[in-house]
Amino acid sequence: MQRNVQKFGISDKRGRTRTSTDPYLAEAGIKEPAVCQTCQAVYRQKRWQLDPVMAGKLAHDHAAHWVTCPACQKVAEHYPEGILTLRGSYLWNHEEEIRNILLNAAERISMRNPLERVISIDRSEQALVIETTDNKLAEQLGRALQKAHSGELQIDWQGSPVVCRVQWERWH
Ligand SMILES: [Zn+2]
């Protein structure tokens, strides 16, 4: 576990340099406290959190600001910063298991940081493509999958804002 924490720490740093160019993270402009009208995430002390109790309180507080959080904006405008593409015959033989691993990992991560979320999972004939609001999330999902099912993983960070493209494949 410790090793993973460190690994994620490294991508966190990359993520932070990315925030300055992320067009959706104009956090300076959001007044606190704020609640996302779509997902009910709460913005306080410069961070977004899932806190249903607080969201409930703020719903009755006229000082609260109703906004759309960066993740819900990315979902609405279909703006992925992470793209995970899965291929190989092994994938189709274990598709349900693999989908569950990815969804469970994504849920765990989204609970900690509501801005890291899966936008879509699309199945084509050759590939399963998972798009995420956050570039780190694509990497984390790829690593979770490789940890559980081996396979070959390629991780590529490029562009501005940085998009993380992750390819995973396993044929046997
Ligand atoms: Zn939201």
Side-chain angles (χ1 to χ4, degrees), residues 3-168:
R3 210 161 46 97
N4 278 341
V5 168
Q6 283 177 350
K7 240 185 240 160
F8 292 160
I10 291 165
S11 37
D12 258 325
K13 273 185 205 139
R14 286 186 189 142
R16 253 170 245 139
T17 54
R18 175 264 303 168
T19 53
S20 60
T21 57
D22 186 332
Y24 290 84
L25 287 185
E27 291 180 334
I30 299 177
K31 293 195 177 105
E32 300 187 25
V35 185
C36 175
Q37 55 209 345
T38 307
C39 71
Q40 264 76 57
V42 172
Y43 185 68
R44 291 173 82 217
Q45 285 152 8
K46 303 211 176 297
R47 30 184 317 238
W48 286 97
Q49 276 176 295
L50 281 183
D51 184 341
V53 175
M54 182 54 66
K57 277 188 198 156
L58 290 175
H60 304 288
D61 182 344
H62 60 80
H65 304 271
W66 290 91
V67 297
T68 302
C69 78
C72 287
Q73 286 177 42
K74 288 176 188 175
V75 171
E77 292 167 30
H78 196 98
Y79 177 87
E81 280 187 10
I83 303 166
L84 170 62
T85 305
L86 315 181
R87 289 193 181 85
S89 45
Y90 181 93
L91 163 66
W92 307 121
N93 294 331
H94 298 81
E95 188 183 349
E96 202 184 323
E97 250 176 284
I98 287 172
R99 279 180 185 257
N100 284 338
I101 285 169
L102 297 174
L103 289 176
N104 288 340
E107 197 181 311
R108 214 168 49 237
I109 293 164
S110 301
M111 286 295 286
R112 271 205 312 266
N113 184 350
L115 298 192
E116 300 184 10
R117 224 177 290 164
V118 169
I119 297 176
S120 61
I121 300 182
D122 286 318
R123 188 188 166 153
S124 71
E125 264 174 51
Q126 284 101 31
L128 196 62
V129 179
I130 296 97
E131 294 184 327
T132 60
T133 56
D134 180 272
N135 42 24
K136 293 185 298 298
L137 179 57
E139 176 175 352
Q140 285 172 302
L141 293 180
R143 291 198 187 283
L145 178 55
Q146 192 188 36
K147 199 172 158 199
H149 285 273
S150 310
E152 283 187 32
L153 191 66
Q154 263 183 36
I155 298 170
D156 179 36
W157 292 73
Q158 262 185 41
S160 174
V162 178
V163 173
C164 181
R165 288 189 175 78
V166 181
Q167 314 271 347
W168 175 90

